[in-house]
Amino acid sequence: MIASLTTRIFAIFWLTLALVLMLVLMVPKLDSRQITSLLPSEYREGAMVEQHIEAELRQDPPNDLMWWRRLYRAIDKWAPPGQHLLLVTSEGRVIGARHNEMQIIRNFIGQSDNADHPQKKKYGRQEMAGPFSIEDGEDNYQLYMIRPASSSQLDFVNLLFDRPWLLLLVTMLISTPLLLWLAWSLAKPARKLKYAADEVASGNLRQHPELESGPQEFLAAGASFNQMVSALERLIKGQHRLLSDISHELRTPLTRLQLSTALLRRRAGESKELERIETEAQRLDGMINDLLDLSRTQHKNALVSEVLRANQLWKDVIDDARFEAEQMGKKMEIPYPPGAWPLYGNPHALESAVENIIRNALRYSHSAISISFSVDRTGLTLHVDDDGPGVDPQDREQIFRPFYRTDEARDRASGGTGLGLAIVDTVIQQHHGHVKAEDSPLGGLRLTIWLPLYSAKQ
């Protein structure tokens, strides 16, 4: 087996070209209509007919007025069964020819006119043989025999031999399945590499040993790909471990800080400084909680999935959001509530994702919020709109990155940690959906979540 892909392609190209040329150049030689020499038995039969006709003409004296009649009588009398004969005079007149045979007679006479070497040729379902020399006194005729062809070629085969371009076309059509199979086999390693890259893009970091086989070029690419996957996996695991360790380590000094603040308040009473310390401690506590949530959601294996109903899944989240909006004096509308649409996923993660974007809208809206659900054959769409300051178009993809803040809506006075939307994006991607930010009809920001519907066939 050729190991190099370049050599394979080169060899297949030249082999295919050689096969096509050989077919086009050599196949016409197999045409049974080619003119060939007579078999010994055919030659003996022709010589015997020749002798009988010469003897017949000697016994039938010529008549200058009806000279051709004696020729007709002779060839009709001595024609072998199933055949008929014709004579060609020295002036080129044809005796005994039928009207529909003149074209093939002229063609054959033009190719075979040597009585010393009689030949034969097929014309469709007929075959013509000759010439044999007939002596009639001072005159000399050439005798030809027309008989049914022993095995005639199909009309379609004749058409191919008569039109080389059609033969080339048929050859290309016949070779197409082979060439397609060869192209498919050559591209198979590339398809494997593409599927493996798609898995990595979807977050499935696993090695593919099957990539390290095949042509040398793809073998090297497959080995490099698996090394890259291993390096990415180590890097991401290290990042998650570091994030989790830092979050846990921050718990201890934060707990001590909160305890010290409580003891100081008990001894010295309330003060603005203590309130400030307590506020920052609470903010730090929220950030640590969000970091732990992000670390957990980034591990797919931690997600236990089940079949869910959208209306039951988010009922409590929507009720709580409606209550908070009333307490904040904001108007919250739900024109299209969720239905009993089937989803498949982790209930806690999906609740947390939707709760995050609703709380995001509550935090940054001025006075109005809108939540609407819709569904089609493939998936569920959730729109959360607010009338807040919105986000600049150049920042809309970046707000789903951890700790990313915009100048207008994501400053530290808002109380956010910059991790909420990163958690949302991670959860939705793990459930094979997507989330995006765009302009809202209310004037602020619209966050849209799309999730695939569950099908029992999956």
Side-chain angles (χ1 to χ4, degrees):
M1 188 66 177
I2 301 175
S4 171
L5 179 64
T6 304
T7 307
R8 284 190 193 183
I9 295 174
F10 181 81
I12 289 173
F13 171 78
W14 280 110
L15 177 61
T16 304
L17 183 61
L19 287 174
V20 171
L21 289 176
M22 183 181 68
L23 286 172
V24 173
L25 297 177
M26 299 300 296
V27 167
K29 301 294 184 181
L30 304 177
D31 189 356
S32 64
R33 299 173 302 167
Q34 297 286 337
I35 191 166
T36 58
S37 299
L38 292 179
L39 299 175
S41 59
E42 295 172 327
Y43 183 82
R44 287 193 299 269
E45 180 186 29
M48 187 178 298
V49 172
E50 172 190 333
Q51 294 173 6
H52 287 309
I53 292 177
E54 286 183 346
E56 182 69 25
L57 292 176
R58 283 196 298 268
Q59 296 175 5
D60 189 1
N63 185 335
D64 292 339
L65 188 60
M66 298 290 185
W67 62 271
W68 63 87
R69 287 189 176 181
R70 58 194 290 271
L71 299 180
Y72 274 111
R73 286 195 298 268
I75 61 177
D76 287 343
K77 180 178 180 180
W78 295 104
Q83 304 182 32
H84 69 277
L85 308 175
L86 56 90
L87 294 173
V88 179
T89 68
S90 56
E91 294 85 10
R93 298 184 63 175
V94 181
I95 307 299
R98 298 170 183 173
H99 179 70
N100 59 349
E101 295 173 343
M102 289 306 299
Q103 184 176 356
I104 66 172
I105 291 171
R106 292 193 184 97
N107 178 270
F108 186 72
I109 291 174
Q111 298 182 59
S112 179
D113 57 359
N114 187 355
D116 294 331
H117 300 285
Q119 296 176 296
K120 63 180 179 179
K121 183 177 181 181
K122 291 180 180 178
Y123 293 92
R125 293 177 175 83
Q126 291 181 314
E127 185 178 57
M128 193 166 176
F132 297 91
S133 181
I134 302 294
E135 294 183 1
D136 181 22
E138 296 181 358
D139 293 326
N140 194 293
Y141 309 113
Q142 287 188 322
L143 172 67
Y144 293 91
M145 308 168 68
I146 298 180
R147 59 197 177 191
S150 56
S151 58
S152 60
Q153 289 183 156
L154 297 175
D155 293 338
F156 177 71
V157 177
N158 294 337
L159 188 65
L160 290 180
F161 287 138
D162 292 339
R163 292 170 173 79
W165 63 268
L166 186 58
L167 177 61
L168 177 61
L169 179 62
V170 171
T171 302
M172 294 174 63
L173 290 176
I174 293 175
S175 62
T176 295
L178 174 62
L179 294 177
L180 286 176
W181 177 81
L182 290 173
W184 179 85
S185 62
L186 289 176
K188 186 177 179 180
R191 290 193 298 273
K192 288 182 180 179
L193 189 60
K194 187 261 184 188
Y195 295 148
D198 289 342
E199 286 194 9
V200 172
S202 64
N204 186 7
L205 298 179
R206 71 177 183 89
Q207 294 192 24
H208 295 264
E210 67 274 10
L211 295 179
E212 299 184 31
S213 61
Q216 293 176 349
E217 292 84 351
F218 284 110
L219 189 150
S224 299
F225 181 87
N226 285 331
Q227 292 175 5
M228 178 196 70
V229 170
S230 297
L232 282 173
E233 190 174 16
R234 290 194 299 269
L235 181 63
I236 292 176
K237 284 183 178 180
Q239 181 185 10
H240 292 166
R241 188 181 301 111
L242 178 63
L243 188 63
S244 179
D245 291 345
I246 291 175
S247 301
H248 284 294
E249 290 299 323
L250 287 176
R251 283 288 186 189
T252 301
L254 177 62
T255 302
R256 292 173 181 170
L257 178 62
Q258 290 173 332
L259 181 60
S260 300
T261 304
L263 291 175
L264 185 60
R265 181 181 290 108
R266 183 179 299 176
R267 293 176 182 177
E270 294 289 345
S271 66
K272 292 183 178 180
E273 290 78 8
L274 283 175
E275 290 180 2
R276 180 67 176 176
I277 292 173
E278 190 173 31
T279 299
E280 295 299 328
Q282 290 175 353
R283 179 174 294 167
L284 182 60
D285 184 57
M287 184 178 295
I288 292 173
N289 288 333
D290 287 345
L291 280 171
L292 291 173
D293 285 341
L294 181 62
S295 178
R296 283 193 295 267
T297 55
Q298 286 179 337
H299 288 277
K300 286 187 177 181
N301 295 334
L303 294 178
V304 179
S305 300
E306 59 186 83
V307 180
L308 309 165
R309 295 290 174 180
N311 55 346
Q312 299 174 357
L313 175 64
W314 292 311
K315 180 179 182 299
D316 293 340
V317 173
I318 293 174
D319 290 342
D320 292 344
R322 184 182 287 112
F323 176 78
E324 290 186 27
E326 292 177 358
Q327 299 302 311
M328 298 169 69
K330 298 181 179 181
K331 181 181 179 182
M332 180 174 173
E333 294 183 347
I334 308 177
Y336 302 104
W341 306 316
L343 300 170
Y344 186 76
N346 180 271
H348 174 73
L350 290 175
E351 283 181 3
S352 176
V354 173
E355 183 179 15
N356 261 307
I357 64 170
I358 293 178
R359 289 187 179 279
N360 189 79
L362 286 171
R363 181 181 298 118
Y364 299 118
S365 63
H366 296 313
S367 61
I369 304 156
S370 175
I371 303 173
S372 62
F373 293 82
S374 62
V375 70
D376 56 23
R377 292 182 179 179
T378 59
L380 173 152
T381 303
L382 165 63
H383 295 299
V384 178
D385 296 279
D386 65 62
D387 63 347
V391 176
D392 286 340
Q394 62 268 24
D395 293 325
R396 288 175 186 167
E397 292 186 5
Q398 306 298 325
I399 61 176
F400 297 103
R401 291 169 46 194
F403 301 111
Y404 185 83
R405 294 174 179 272
T406 64
D407 294 336
E408 295 85 356
R410 302 280 171 175
D411 57 11
R412 294 200 177 272
S414 68
T417 63
L419 291 171
L421 292 182
I423 295 173
V424 171
D425 185 54
T426 301
V427 169
I428 298 304
Q429 286 192 27
Q430 289 176 353
H431 288 80
H432 309 290
H434 58 260
V435 58
K436 65 178 180 179
E438 53 192 343
D439 288 330
S440 169
L442 299 182
L445 182 68
R446 162 177 280 187
L447 289 173
T448 300
I449 288 178
W450 182 89
L451 288 168
L453 292 178
Y454 173 74
S455 173
K457 296 180 181 179
Q458 293 178 340

